[in-house]
DNA sequence: TCCGATTTGTTCGTATGTATG
DNA sequence: GCATACATACGAACAAATCGG
């Protein structure tokens, strides 16, 4: 894959998949490409030959090289099974398997097959997934956006889905500019009730840990701030810790240790972006010999299996998980079937799940004031 | 048709059609053809490239150019992506996502796509999965057998895979009668070292909980018994509890409660079929106010994320998980590629992982005797 | 209709890298 | 380790088709 002609080939293919070229539009002459990629004519021709062979482009002597028309020849589509691609950030971790299971079980019951991809929340890997899906013949895509809070360079691929008539629904988050059908939680509300619960219990120094490279984290942080404002409790900016996919393993635990050592104004409660983080932070609390919830309260998010795995049963926010997967599957099925029958793009409403707090034993009233 | 490369191409094609070359027979090196037709290397390559593309011949770097076997199905198989089906008992739970991720990451890096199915360890659902896979065009299948310890009525489907030339590998367990390529752990040894560890610590009344509808459970139980025998510790049949997929949620916890209430000969240690069960049983121990490992020791199996989620860090047996997925993917890729090139079913050796005990804080010396 | 610029097609040469047996 | 055979990559020249003026 590291040969020059392969690089040229893949680069051109990417452009096609991103919709840079309309069918029958000129891809550029051999001379153009020679200059663009700074390679020999032979190399360009080798790349182009393969693309022609795979049906992406066609050539006409004396005229030029053109983008092929890949709009599927509808025929013989009926008999084959329907295929749905599911692209999520993670695959094996945490709540994602459950979401995927929801989609898989519903779709397989309805005669669809599910092919899975994961991006590891990495833009480059997302691009590869999107290219793979566009290169194949999928009838629909369920996708969780990667790094949804950051500008996404792969937007073009999504636009190309629309151009090629492949319906998709987004879960967990969505890119505003695309206005896709989406299935999300009300994450602001989720963050709000996490925090409100602690404020109601009398906590006033609450640490908030939020992941800020996806929209969910940003929104939950918004809810965290909103709750403080509603309850009239002032919030120091130093009480908010943000981290990213790349720093998630070390940064939050390290920050918590620092915050707990810094003598004055010790926090009495922690709001976590998710259960996974809460479990990580619980280990820090154990190490520092702090009892939960007597010395410090902690709230998770997602109600994953981790929330009840340890001796501390986490107070957390319910995430629909399997239900979200099923809902996404139902939506994509509806869209596909409507499209088949009526040819016009149906209007489908997004789904927004309302969060719900599950109170377990990791939160309690602040005891500090009574003790003093 | 009067170009040189076309002449060469047609001449070689004629020879093939006249039967001058048997399948897999050498067509002649580039240098031979250069001399034979008195043309440049480039011209020969162009001719050969087209013949390869049309499926008449194939090339192998370093080896030569050979006549293809046209008896095989010539239908546009080359250009489409390769699809692998992964069928596991579970999908979203426990270590399965990690295994699947291993396979998925390796395969997607190698240009394959992964379609997933799960049987929920139910024979009827397994049948549906197998039918779906057989009716689609999959290039290979990675499968974990369902209820592997029980007679399987779906054996015929597996035989049909062989008849249709679809390679498959089995993970975790396999049906003896099929003698498939398989990737498993040495579960007898795993059960043995789990138990040996406790016996070495001085425990003599050890409860063993095993799932007996899959082969892994049966084998781990075998290891449990073997360890007792090796250490010369007598084992009461009442110390072994077996359960199935259907009873896994209620039966083991209930049995443990009974065993702990029954006054005489209280157990001082527990061997669990897996970490998932260990976590379940830990809750029972907490409810009965038994400290781990002071009052009772417990050993898990699989080294899943659950084993370190709680305050009790489980002593457990390492399961290769992701590695097993990768290994399975590598094997299936090897088989597919060898089959493509040489037509003869390659001989691939099964993989057996050796278990390894990971000692954490859930096990300790029995304290009862010293106390008395 | 023809011209000329552009673009792809064919063919030669040369060199170095990499896999196979 | 070595020869063989295919893979990648550069350069050059001329032929043939296309298209706008």
């Amino acid at each position: 894959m590291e040969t020059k002609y392969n690089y040229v080939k893949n680069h051109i293919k990417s452009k096609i998949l991103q919709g840079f070229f309309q069918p029958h539009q000129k891809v550029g002459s051999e001379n153009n490409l020679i200059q663009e990629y700074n390679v020999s004519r032979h190399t360009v021709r080798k790349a182009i030959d393969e693309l022609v062979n795979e049906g992406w482009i066609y050539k006409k002597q004396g005229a030029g090289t053109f983008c092929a028309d890949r709009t599927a020849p509808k025929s013989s589509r009926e008999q084959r099974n329907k295929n749905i691609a599911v692209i999520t950030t993670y695959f094996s971790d945490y709540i994602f398997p459950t979401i995927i299971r929801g989609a898989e079980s519903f779709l397989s019951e309805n005669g669809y097959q599910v092919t899975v991809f994961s991006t590891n929340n990495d833009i480059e890997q997302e691009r590869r997934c999107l290219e793979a899906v566009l290169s194949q013949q999928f009838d629909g895509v369920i996708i969780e956006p990667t790094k949804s809070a950051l500008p996404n360079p792969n937007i073009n691929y999504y636009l190309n889905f629309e151009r090629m008539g492949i319906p998709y629904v987004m879960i967990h988050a969505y890119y505003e500019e695309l206005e896709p059908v989406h299935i999300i939680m009300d994450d602001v509300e989720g963050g709000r009730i996490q925090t409100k619960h602690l404020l109601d219990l009398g906590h006033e120094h609450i640490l908030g840990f939020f992941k800020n490279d996806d929209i969910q984290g940003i929104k939950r942080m918004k809810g965290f701030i909103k709750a403080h404002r509603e309850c009239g409790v002032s919030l120091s900016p130093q009480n908010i810790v943000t981290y990213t996919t790349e720093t998630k393993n070390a940064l939050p635990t390290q920050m918590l240790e620092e915050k707990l050592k810094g003598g004055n104004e010790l926090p009495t409660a922690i709001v976590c972006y998710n259960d996974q983080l809460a479990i990580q932070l619980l280990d820090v609390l154990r190490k520092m010999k702090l009892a939960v919830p007597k010395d410090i309260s902690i709230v998770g998010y997602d109600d994953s299996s981790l929330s009840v795995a340890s001796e501390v049963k986490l107070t957390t926010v319910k995430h629909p998980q399997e239900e979200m997967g099923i809902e996404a599957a139902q939506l994509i099925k509806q869209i596909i079937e409507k499209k088949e029958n009526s040819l016009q793009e149906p209007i489908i409403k997004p789904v927004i799940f309302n969060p719900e707090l599950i109170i377990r034993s990791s939160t309690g009233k602040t005891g500090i004031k009574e003790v003093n």
Side-chain angles (χ1 to χ4, degrees), chain A:
Chain A
M1 278 293 187
E2 68 290 68
T3 58
K4 288 192 186 181
Y5 78 83
N6 229 317
Y7 175 81
V8 174
K9 177 185 164 188
N10 286 328
H11 199 266
I12 295 171
K13 190 169 156 187
S14 279
K15 279 193 176 173
I16 294 170
L17 291 173
Q18 287 178 70
F20 280 18
F21 304 115
Q22 296 302 309
H24 311 296
Q25 191 188 328
K26 214 159 179 168
V27 168
S29 73
E30 289 176 353
N31 265 320
N32 292 155
L33 297 173
I34 286 168
Q35 283 172 26
E36 188 180 340
Y37 296 103
N38 195 32
V39 293
S40 73
R41 178 148 179 246
H42 185 84
T43 305
V44 167
R45 282 180 64 78
K46 170 95 176 160
I48 284 184
D49 277 356
E50 291 202 354
L51 287 170
V52 168
N53 236 303
E54 291 170 21
W56 296 101
I57 56 180
Y58 64 91
K59 297 192 282 185
K60 240 191 215 166
Q61 187 179 164
T65 305
F66 308 90
C67 180
D69 190 350
R70 282 213 135 235
T71 47
K74 273 212 162 181
S75 61
S76 77
R77 260 216 172 189
E78 304 313 307
Q79 62 189 51
R80 81 184 174 81
N81 268 13
K82 302 286 186 180
N83 291 300
I84 305 289
V86 176
I87 308 177
T88 51
T89 49
Y90 298 100
F91 179 96
S92 64
D93 302 321
Y94 201 47
I95 57 171
F96 296 99
T98 314
I99 298 172
I100 299 171
R101 173 172 66 179
E104 195 263 347
S105 65
F106 176 83
L107 290 171
S108 67
E109 274 168 27
N110 286 275
Y112 288 78
Q113 269 170 206
V114 177
T115 302
V116 293
F117 301 84
S118 67
T119 69
N120 290 306
N121 214 22
D122 177 89
I123 293 290
E124 174 58 19
Q125 283 185 59
E126 186 192 37
R127 190 182 63 74
R128 283 207 291 273
C129 291
L130 293 171
E131 288 196 355
V133 171
L134 278 161
S135 305
Q136 289 280 106
Q137 285 205 323
F138 281 99
D139 304 280
V141 186
I142 295 172
I143 180 155
E144 182 199 25
T146 281
K147 298 237 187 208
S148 52
L150 307 180
N152 190 311
N154 298 327
I155 291 286
N156 280 325
Y157 291 100
Y158 290 102
L159 291 172
N160 214 16
F161 277 127
E162 294 173 21
R163 231 177 334 231
M164 293 177 70
I166 300 172
Y168 63 93
V169 303
M170 287 194 169
I171 61 174
H172 271 170
Y174 63 96
Y175 303 116
E176 293 278 353
E177 55 268 51
L178 293 173
E179 293 184 21
V181 176
H182 57 269
I183 297 146
I184 59 170
M185 292 193 71
D186 186 342
D187 283 297
V188 175
E189 178 64 9
R192 196 186 70 82
I193 62 177
Q194 272 185 306
T195 316
K196 179 88 171 14
H197 171 64
L198 293 172
L199 291 167
D200 286 349
L201 287 170
H203 296 276
E204 294 193 335
H205 298 287
I206 307 174
L207 285 181
F209 288 80
F210 301 99
K211 191 150 166 291
N212 71 351
D213 55 359
D214 60 36
I215 290 174
Q216 299 98 292
I218 302 281
K219 286 194 175 170
R220 289 171 198 178
M221 183 170 73
K222 219 174 185 174
F224 179 76
I225 296 167
K226 191 174 169 187
H228 277 82
R229 212 167 274 159
E230 280 177 8
C231 293
V233 176
S234 79
L235 169 61
S236 157
Q238 293 175 338
N239 280 5
I240 296 182
V241 177
T242 57
Y243 64 100
T244 63
T245 302
E246 288 71 27
T247 60
K248 72 175 177 181
N249 287 322
L251 190 140
T253 51
Q254 191 189 320
M255 289 297 286
L256 179 60
E257 281 181 32
E258 276 176 34
K259 301 272 180 195
L260 290 174
K261 274 176 192 157
N264 55 341
E265 295 279 0
L266 284 180
T268 62
I270 303 172
V271 168
C272 297
Y273 167 69
N274 64 13
D275 292 343
Q276 210 166 32
L277 180 72
I279 293 291
Q280 265 185 56
L281 297 185
L282 267 181
D283 270 337
V284 175
L285 299 180
R286 286 194 197 105
K287 207 165 62 182
M288 303 196 104
K289 309 273 187 212
L290 291 170
V292 175
K294 201 167 73 67
D295 299 326
I296 193 160
S297 291
I298 187 164
V299 185
Y301 202 115
D302 287 340
D303 189 29
S304 70
S305 62
L306 291 172
S307 65
V308 290
S310 88
E311 84 288 6
V312 176
K313 309 300 179 195
L314 283 177
T315 294
T316 187
V317 175
K318 187 167 186 249
H319 183 295
Q321 297 189 34
E322 189 154 7
E323 212 184 328
M324 180 178 270
I326 295 172
E327 197 74 42
Q330 283 175 335
L331 274 188
I332 201 80
K333 177 169 174 274
Q334 270 176 45
I335 300 174
I336 290 170
E337 285 174 358
K338 287 221 178 144
K339 196 174 68 116
E340 269 177 359
N341 295 334
S342 65
L343 263 167
Q344 63 184 346
E345 202 71 22
I347 297 162
I348 304 260
K349 276 191 189 163
V351 177
I352 298 172
F353 285 99
N354 270 319
E356 198 179 306
L357 195 70
I358 296 176
I359 298 173
R360 296 206 183 89
S361 60
S362 72
T363 51
K365 282 194 180 167
T366 169
I368 293 179
K369 274 162 195 155
E370 284 101 46
V371 171
N372 284 6

